[in-house]
Amino acid sequence: MNQTVRYSLIFGGLSAAVLAAFIAVIGTLHERVAFVATLTFGYSVMLVAMSFVFVGVKRYRDVEGGGVIKFGRALGLGLLIALIACIGYVLIWEAYLAFTHYRFMDDYIAKLLRDAQASGKSAAEIARMTAEFDGMREMYANPLIRMPMTAMEVAPVGLLVAFASALLLRNPRLFPARGV
């Protein structure tokens, strides 16, 4: 097996495992622990998961490249690791949806409507929101739309980390190899 593919599968798989744990936590705790279901927490976990992009590129640089890697190779490997993580995230989310009988969008919309009512929105505004959410529910039911939407949650983080990793790790003096 090609070393680049091997590294991408290993470190992309580790990243996907962190994302799977995140989905499990969200699925079990979102009703009881408010911060778990926030964008800040979600993207923080994605950033931690995507740190395996950096680790994988560094490991490749140190072991396979003798402590040196060019920007293009580092970026390519980083993007491949991020792609594997992204695919893993989508597949894990799809498994979660199947396990919960595709309840996610119904629960999410119900929460948004409860929040709107609690904030004092008028009946007309809530009716307009309900109609809008029904379209969103219908769109989300289509896996050809849902899966790319899911991928787009984590892909920008992976792109950013892959680019930053390539930019930083092309410098062999940054985190030099130590007895690998």
Side-chain angles (χ1 to χ4, degrees):
M1 177 186 300
N2 178 332
Q3 291 301 323
T4 303
V5 172
R6 185 172 154 266
Y7 276 80
S8 64
L9 290 173
I10 290 168
F11 291 96
L14 289 169
S15 181
V18 171
L19 293 168
F22 169 63
I23 290 171
V25 167
I26 287 281
T28 56
L29 295 180
H30 76 279
E31 292 290 331
R32 293 182 286 267
V33 183
F35 78 86
V36 168
T38 63
L39 284 175
T40 303
F41 181 73
Y43 279 103
S44 297
V45 170
M46 288 179 194
L47 188 58
V48 168
M50 287 299 174
S51 69
F52 282 105
V53 170
F54 183 89
V55 174
V57 172
K58 182 183 181 321
R59 180 83 178 153
Y60 184 90
R61 177 192 78 175
D62 295 348
V63 174
E64 306 301 326
V68 178
I69 194 166
K70 293 197 180 289
F71 177 82
R73 178 166 289 279
L75 181 61
L77 176 59
L79 290 173
L80 201 51
I81 293 170
L83 176 65
I84 298 298
C86 190
I87 290 169
Y89 179 70
V90 170
L91 295 176
I92 292 160
W93 182 251
E94 287 296 313
Y96 170 77
L97 288 176
F99 180 75
T100 59
H101 307 288
Y102 297 90
R103 251 189 13 245
F104 170 77
M105 190 52 72
D106 292 332
D107 293 347
Y108 180 67
I109 289 171
K111 181 189 179 329
L112 291 175
L113 291 173
R114 278 193 312 270
D115 291 349
Q117 288 171 334
S119 72
K121 296 232 187 266
S122 70
E125 287 176 296
I126 291 176
R128 182 194 53 77
M129 289 173 69
T130 301
E132 187 178 305
F133 292 156
D134 285 342
M136 189 169 76
R137 178 184 291 118
E138 185 178 319
M139 185 176 66
Y140 200 76
N142 181 347
L144 296 177
I145 294 173
R146 180 181 60 242
M147 292 171 85
M149 283 174 58
T150 303
M152 287 309 297
E153 292 172 10
V154 73
V157 179
L159 287 170
L160 180 67
V161 173
F163 183 78
S165 297
L167 195 62
L168 293 170
L169 292 172
R170 68 190 170 100
N171 180 354
R173 292 185 308 267
L174 182 70
F175 304 115
R178 290 191 166 92
V180 176

